[in-house]
Amino acid sequence: NAGVMQNPRHLVRRRGQEARLRCSPMKGHSHVYWYRQLPEEGLKFMVYLQKENIIDESGMPKERFSAEFPKEGPSILRIQQVVRGDSAAYFCASSPPDSGVGQFFGPGTRLTVL
Amino acid sequence: ELKVEQNPLFLSMQEGKNYTIYCNYSTTSDRLYWYRQDPGKSLESLFVLLSNGAVKQEGRLMASLDTKARLSTLHITAAVHDLSATYFCAAGDSGTYKYIFGTGTRLKVLA
């Protein structure tokens, strides 16, 4: 059973470009979470999704950021018109419906905005 | 709003010594998790604590949960260099599937 997969692992964008981050959850996991981690800091919750539904996006900036988890394919975190402050590691985690087992994290995507 | 605090933020300790990392959370939570993160790497799940009085041990690490005090501890016994990493606790927001992370404790074990 493959773990949580994220790609790309590293992404470099210039200011004003779009960044698209992908996450494939573990098999059998219907819950996907996105977190942002700045250097030397903890993880900040961004959004929680189930298939075709955004359940909680209270941690997402109101502008430029969006997320989806379509019926088919990976979850996507999209950042439009990136700025230098968006540079961070973005982690995806997945969990099964049973919250008792916790989350499993992907390797992360390290976004650098030039 | 659920808030999670860890202390200490930084911990430098000698090999062979014991120490405890504390994780306090502000409102009722029905689940508590501990993770380890090595520099530049992802998070590795260490413990899942789901009930008051739960205690779990793996090697030199032992985690416990006191829901009445809203406190979880991660105890390190006879530290070794390989335990050097950042340790995070996360509390589940009751009634939701949301997880709130603490700020992390950066542990450095000196030979």
Side-chain angles (χ1 to χ4, degrees):
Chain A
N1 188 4
V4 178
M5 294 191 291
Q6 287 187 250
N7 67 80
R9 297 288 302 274
H10 299 274
L11 182 61
V12 179
R13 285 287 179 265
R14 296 190 181 280
R15 281 179 295 170
Q17 292 183 318
E18 178 179 286
R20 193 174 290 208
L21 289 61
R22 295 176 196 77
C23 168
S24 296
M26 286 179 70
K27 189 175 180 181
H29 287 194
S30 54
H31 300 191
V32 166
Y33 303 78
W34 286 95
Y35 295 88
R36 176 161 65 177
Q37 185 178 38
L38 294 171
E40 313 299 326
E41 294 189 10
L43 274 75
K44 299 295 185 196
F45 168 81
M46 299 182 74
V47 62
Y48 158 53
L49 311 101
Q50 295 180 17
K51 281 284 187 184
E52 299 186 275
N53 285 302
I54 297 174
I55 307 300
D56 186 331
E57 56 181 347
S58 56
M60 289 270 275
K62 293 284 186 283
E63 297 177 353
R64 301 188 299 108
F65 286 72
S66 62
E68 62 178 13
F69 189 13
K71 187 176 178 182
E72 301 290 339
S75 175
I76 306 282
L77 178 67
R78 185 182 291 110
I79 310 172
Q80 296 178 303
Q81 299 175 346
V82 296
V83 300
R84 289 221 173 102
D86 296 333
S87 295
Y90 292 84
F91 288 97
C92 166
S94 72
S95 69
D98 176 6
S99 63
V101 300
Q103 300 177 306
F104 296 81
F105 280 82
T109 294
R110 278 150 185 85
L111 172 65
T112 301
V113 179
L114 302 178
Chain B
E1 181 188 349
L2 176 61
K3 292 188 191 308
V4 179
E5 290 185 355
Q6 282 181 244
N7 69 83
L9 297 183
F10 299 95
L11 177 54
S12 182
M13 56 192 296
Q14 297 287 331
E15 275 193 328
K17 298 292 187 184
N18 305 334
Y19 210 85
T20 300
I21 299 170
Y22 297 88
C23 174
N24 292 89
Y25 52 97
S26 60
T27 64
T28 303
S29 175
D30 51 6
R31 52 201 193 279
L32 196 292
Y33 307 87
W34 285 94
Y35 295 89
R36 168 183 171 145
Q37 185 180 37
D38 290 292
K41 304 290 185 183
S42 187
L43 279 78
E44 173 192 353
S45 178
L46 294 175
F47 299 108
V48 177
L49 303 167
L50 300 176
S51 60
N52 186 41
V55 177
K56 292 197 175 177
Q57 183 163 4
E58 181 73 33
R60 300 174 188 275
L61 301 178
M62 183 173 71
S64 65
L65 178 62
D66 180 345
T67 57
K68 292 187 174 129
R70 297 179 185 160
L71 170 69
S72 179
T73 60
L74 181 66
H75 186 72
I76 303 155
T77 302
V80 293
H81 180 71
D82 285 352
L83 290 179
S84 297
T86 299
Y87 292 85
F88 291 97
C89 66
D93 201 356
S94 287
T96 76
Y97 287 98
K98 198 169 162 180
Y99 299 73
I100 305 298
F101 278 76
T103 47
T105 295
R106 197 185 307 172
L107 171 66
K108 187 169 184 178
V109 181
L110 305 172

